[in-house]
Amino acid sequence: MPPRSGPERAPARRALLTGWFSFRDGEATAGDVLALRRVEELLRELGLPYDIAWSPGFRPAGPSLETVRPERYDLLLFICGPLHGPQPAALHDRFAGCRRIAVGVSVVDPEDPAVRGFDRVVPRDGSGSPPRADLSLAARQRELPPVVATILTAGQHEYTGRRRHEETIRRVTDWLASRDCARLPLETRLDTRDWRLCATPEQLDAVLARVDLVVTNRLHGLVLALRCGVPVLAVDPVAGGAKVGAQARALDWPAVIPAERLDEDTLRSWWDWALGEGRSRAAAFRTRTRTGTGTGTRTAARTPPGAPARPPQQDDGLAEELRTVLHTVLHEAPDGSDGSPGREVS
């Protein structure tokens, strides 16, 4: 879409970054947020201050589309996702005073008001031109958090009045939600009909061997993780202790928390131990009876030391075109036009 002619504009002073992650009934996907980060990197390089409008359902602290003052911004960027429907279209009314640019979007219908209202559209696909790599591909890789498998049960009703399963699960999961980690719920139950569950012990081993930590209130969650050489943060969910605590003593594994002592400080202390000293201690449990290449081998999840922050020769065409457009916005000619053609959306 070519740049729209209009009254003279001053160079942009502040940008508002928006996307489907901004709408109250929208959603923030990992791809959307990585595309947003790539645009953030570009704006920092250009020295353009910006704010991000977040959905109140994702980041209640904001800022949000409802709380920002449109007159504070000269430029609105809509990043990633389909450029279609009433939510993106509504931005044109609320931010009518801003120059509006959409980047890294899929153009479903070029005549949609959501598309036509933008001064410039830099699409990734659907415009009649060859598709281009998504912005998320070239976002800088940050240090990866630990992968934490959870193996939790709310059953074991044989313990009757001593059961503290629901309470301990709530405390553990609420606390885990506050940690920077990738959470992976697992089941020790095998099933040959349910594709979501493992059908053999080896399939479960294959998953456990690739995580950094297991948090569990099950006896076999403790044992199976240790036999794969993975540290465990165990919780005994039975008042007075039962089989989880007994098995931890049998294995001389110290990171087990009784239900009566389950609190944030204790969780944090054993979490730090398990991801530190506990790694080498758990490695000693790895069974020596395995054979075959690859079995039980843990794969490195983190970026190797010395690796480039962004892989070389990644397709970053969308960001480069946005850089050109933003350079125009930041150095506007006196007549309000830059003389360069825009990308047609057809």
Side-chain angles (χ1 to χ4, degrees):
M1 176 180 293
R4 298 188 304 185
S5 60
E8 180 178 341
R9 296 178 186 259
R13 295 169 298 169
R14 193 171 193 87
L16 181 65
L17 309 189
T18 68
W20 285 96
F21 50 80
S22 304
F23 301 130
R24 182 175 292 273
D25 55 351
E27 61 181 18
T29 70
D32 290 342
V33 173
L34 286 171
L36 167 65
R37 288 181 183 174
R38 181 65 189 106
V39 173
E40 287 186 84
E41 293 166 5
L42 182 57
L43 294 186
R44 287 194 292 268
E45 291 171 12
L46 294 172
L48 179 61
Y50 63 88
D51 295 318
I52 303 171
W54 292 104
S55 166
F58 182 64
R59 291 194 178 173
S64 68
L65 290 174
E66 291 81 4
T67 61
V68 298
R69 302 198 316 270
E71 64 272 14
R72 190 165 183 250
Y73 303 99
D74 310 283
L75 174 66
L76 179 139
L77 293 175
F78 186 87
I79 303 160
C80 198
L83 195 55
H84 177 77
Q87 297 99 322
L91 296 173
H92 304 313
D93 291 330
R94 178 159 169 73
F95 297 92
C98 294
R99 171 160 295 184
R100 299 179 299 283
I101 299 172
V103 61
V105 294
S106 295
V107 177
V108 180
D109 176 6
E111 299 305 317
D112 190 304
V115 178
R116 302 301 300 176
F118 281 96
D119 297 283
R120 184 72 68 94
V121 176
V122 184
R124 64 186 174 189
D125 59 73
S127 63
S129 56
R132 291 183 290 177
D134 188 74
L135 285 163
S136 62
L137 181 68
R140 283 189 172 87
Q141 179 72 69
R142 300 183 180 182
E143 182 179 359
L144 299 181
V147 179
V148 179
T150 60
I151 302 176
L152 302 169
T153 179
Q156 300 178 344
H157 293 276
E158 62 270 23
Y159 291 106
T160 61
R162 297 170 58 205
R163 295 182 68 258
R164 301 292 183 270
H165 293 64
E166 289 78 8
E167 178 184 353
T168 55
I169 288 175
R170 177 184 59 78
R171 290 187 182 183
V172 167
T173 54
D174 285 353
W175 185 78
L176 278 176
S178 70
R179 306 297 295 180
D180 182 18
C181 64
R183 293 165 286 277
L184 179 65
L186 295 179
E187 286 271 4
T188 58
R189 180 170 66 89
L190 304 179
D191 195 316
T192 58
R193 297 164 297 177
D194 189 338
W195 67 270
R196 294 165 296 186
L197 298 177
C198 295
T200 67
E202 289 72 28
Q203 291 175 10
L204 183 58
D205 277 353
V207 179
L208 290 174
R210 287 167 170 80
V211 305
D212 297 296
L213 176 68
V214 171
V215 176
T216 185
N217 66 353
R218 305 202 66 153
L219 180 152
H220 279 135
L222 168 67
V223 174
L224 299 185
L226 289 178
R227 76 185 294 272
C228 289
V230 178
V232 183
L233 197 170
V235 174
D236 192 326
V238 179
K243 58 184 178 181
V244 174
Q247 189 64 204
R249 291 193 300 274
L251 299 176
D252 194 25
W253 182 254
V256 57
I257 306 174
E260 299 88 344
R261 294 175 49 201
L262 184 61
D263 56 45
E264 290 191 4
D265 288 341
T266 307
L267 282 166
R268 186 181 303 108
S269 176
W270 282 119
W271 172 281
D272 293 341
W273 179 87
L275 289 174
E277 180 185 343
R279 290 181 185 272
S280 57
R281 187 155 176 170
F285 284 91
R286 187 179 293 118
T287 180
R288 300 169 184 240
T289 61
R290 297 183 184 181
T291 58
T293 58
T295 304
T297 301
R298 301 185 67 191
T299 58
R302 291 174 177 76
T303 304
R310 185 183 298 124
Q313 299 181 339
Q314 291 284 24
D315 186 339
D316 204 17
L318 284 174
E320 291 308 314
E321 181 167 347
L322 178 60
R323 183 193 301 275
T324 301
V325 173
L326 291 177
H327 182 81
T328 299
V329 172
L330 291 170
H331 304 86
E332 193 86 41
D335 63 356
S337 65
D338 61 15
S340 62
R343 175 174 292 277
E344 290 285 344
V345 178
S346 58

